[in-house]
Each structure stands twice: as structure tokens, then as C-alpha cells.
Amino acid sequence: MVNVDAWAGEELDGLKQAGLYNHIRTIGSPQGAWLQVDGRRALNFCSNNYLGLANHPRLVAAARQAMDTHGIGPAAVRSIAGTMDLHVELDRRIAAFKGVEAAVTFQSGFTANLGVIPALVGKEDVIFSDELNHASIIDGSRLSGATILRYPHCDPAGLAAAIAEHRGQYRRALVITDGVFSMDGDIAPLPEIYAEARKGDAMLMVDDAHGEGVLGKGGRGIVDHYGLHGKVDVEVGTFSKAFGVVGGVAAGNAKIVEWLKQRGRPFLFSSAMTVPDVAACLAAVDLLEESTELVERLWSNTEFFKAEMKKLGFDIGRSVTPITPVMLGQATLAQEFSKALYEAGVFAMAIAFPTVPRGAARIRVMISAAHSTDDLEQGLHSFAEVGRSLGVIS
Ligand SMILES: *Cc1c(COP(=O)(O)O)cnc(C)c1O
């Protein structure tokens, strides 16, 4: 008989020794610039709550109101009895917001990728995938059964070479890239990637999870940022980051969206988003369409924080977005740094293998419109103190 405790225990001990064991902290407050973390008040540098919507009164009120009229659970998958008028409204509103032909929502960005990719390509097909794409793209690609060819990170010439060498052997081809890369905060060179995909007779899909609510006019995302409307076949997105709720979406070509409703497996075999989630997402779209103020504050906070971190002497990598990696190298150093920050009242998690490559461990700071200048200054002060005490900066 397999001794489960023995093998799992050994694996867990291995993680702890390598500094790769993930200690999960518990939040005892709503999301915002400050959190109760394991019972202590701390400045929040961890969440994807870019615009502060996760506890926004308008979203909370919309969720409450919708529960009065629609209850809570959808009680079915979308294709049987789980598509309420609210879901249809969100599909329509998010398509209009993004300026695409059509959109369909999923339970999460993760399930959107698991649904979309196997619906687009199969065994006779090929996927050209950026080597740093998100885990859900990797899993969706594997599920599809297509051949997966990784191209060098954000490298259109590398993509072109891969297409030239391999495209001929396959029926359909799909190029997939993250829009904003979540661990480094860099942005895919989408116009050049689009040009190569088009030349190579490949479909183009972008996962804009960290671009929605962040990039483009009023947070309309990476396609708007580059003015590529109508050129990207499908954009996958999430409502769990800037939108402050939970849920996923596939948006773009109307025929593809129609096909996803017939063949997207999480659409067919997993229940729809709940009523309060959908209503809160609709309120988030309202807010973003009404005003660009939150997006502007996010960016001014981002520019201030990053400039100050550079002045202090930190290596913040290649980020051009609110995602601010503080590069530390060894996983154990990153863990020590994160722990010292926590002692100083700053909640910023260490990120190490397998989320980032070995030896590229870091603290990832997530800037939000919810931060005040005072908050950011306090965070900078703690980074400076911990950085000096651990010899990271002088
Ligand atoms: C966060 C993220 C996802 C997953 O989104 P969820 O809605 O939280 O499941 C998918 N893709 C990328 C690129 C992400 O950063």
C-alpha cells in the first residue's frame, strides 16, 4: 500500500528546505490599501486590486440588489439553465467596452483559457506560445492535444522563425501570448506578433488578464493600447483583477464566440458565474465607462513608486506596468525579505520557482489606485530599511 503521508511529507520537507514552501496568509478584512493579515494591520502590496474595486461601494450595492431580484446561485451550467439575463447583459456590455464583436463569460480566467484553447485547436494543429505564458495557457494548450512550440519571450523574430520552420506541417495554427506578463510586468509587442501571425496564416489569441482596467483608454486593455481593434481573433480576460470580482471572459470574433458556446468545455460542464459576481462586474463596467480617473490614479501611483524604487537602488526588472518585481535572486533571500517587510507592517509576497524561473526569485509589488501617496511613501521607507539591513541596497 502507498504510504501517502510519507511521500507527501518528503515532498513538503523538500519545498521547505529549498525556501519554496508557500506560507499562505489569511486576510481578515476587505481588500484595499490596508489589510488585516494574520491578525495584523499591514500595507497591501500583494493584490491584483488595481483600481480598488474589490470593496467598492457601487459593486457591493449592485451585488446586494441583484441578490434581491435573482438570488445567488445560477444552479446550472450556462448551456442548460444557468444563463440568466444578467449573464447575457454582461456578455454584451463587456464586448461593447472592449470594442469587439462578441464576448462570452466563464467562471474565471483560468477556465476561460481551458475552454478557449481546446475549442480553437486540436491534434492536427500547432500552438506557438510565448515561453513565459501563464500556467492556465499552458494547461489549456496541453488539453487541446495540439503540438505546442514555445517561442522566445516577446520575440517576434523568434516567432517568425518558428512559424517558418513548422507551420507547413499542421492544419490550423494559433499564436498565444499574455498581454501583460504577470511576474515581470512587461507587455507583449502585439503589433509585431500580429504581423507574424497574419503572415504565417495563424490565429492570434491574447490573454489580457493584467491589461484589462490597466492598459488602453479607460482600461480597455492591450488591444486598445495598441489600436489593434478587429485584428486579434480572441482576447481572454478575467474579472478577478482590475474588475475586483471573479470571472473570466473570451472576447473577439463573433463566430469564435458562438463556437465557444457550443464547444467550450467549462461553459458546457461547469456552472455559470454567481448572481452577485455578475452584477458586481456590470457595476465595474459602468464605473470604467463613466470615468478614467481610477485608471489615471493607478498610473500616477505606479510612476511615482517605480521611480523612487529605482532611486533607492533596487533592480525592478523590465516592468512597464503597475506590476513591480523587486529582483532578489535566491528564493531564501526573497522569503527573508518578505518576512522582514511583514514585521515592518508591509504585506508583499515572495515569488519563487515554479511561478518564476529558479534563481529569479523576487518580491512582487502590486500598485493600486487605492494607495494614497502616504501609503506609497511608507512602503518605500520599509523597502529601504529592509533592503539595507539585508544588504540588497547600500
Ligand atoms: C490571473 C491570470 C489568469 C487567471 O485568472 P483568474 O480569473 O484568476 O482565474 C489567467 N491568465 C493570466 C495571464 C493571469 O494573469
Side-chain angles (χ1 to χ4, degrees), residues 95 100-104 232-234 250-261:
V100 294
E101 291 176 7
V104 58
V232 174
D233 297 296
V234 59
N253 177 284
K255 277 279 181 293
I256 286 183
V257 169
E258 193 181 344
W259 177 240
L260 291 173
K261 291 181 186 172

Side-chain angles (χ1 to χ4, degrees), residues 365-382:
V365 176
M366 301 299 283
I367 297 300
S368 167
H371 292 123
S372 68
T373 307
D374 275 359
D375 295 336
L376 297 175
E377 276 170 352
Q378 197 168 326
L380 286 161
H381 177 75
S382 298

Side-chain angles (χ1 to χ4, degrees), residues 305-317 325-328 337 380 383-384 387-388 391-394:
F305 184 81
K306 290 167 90 169
E308 295 298 314
M309 285 294 279
K310 276 188 203 159
K311 272 191 228 160
L312 286 171
F314 285 106
D315 172 5
I316 58 168
V326 182
M327 308 306 285
L328 296 167
F337 204 113
L380 286 161
F383 260 96
R388 284 189 199 109
V392 174
I393 55 170
S394 50

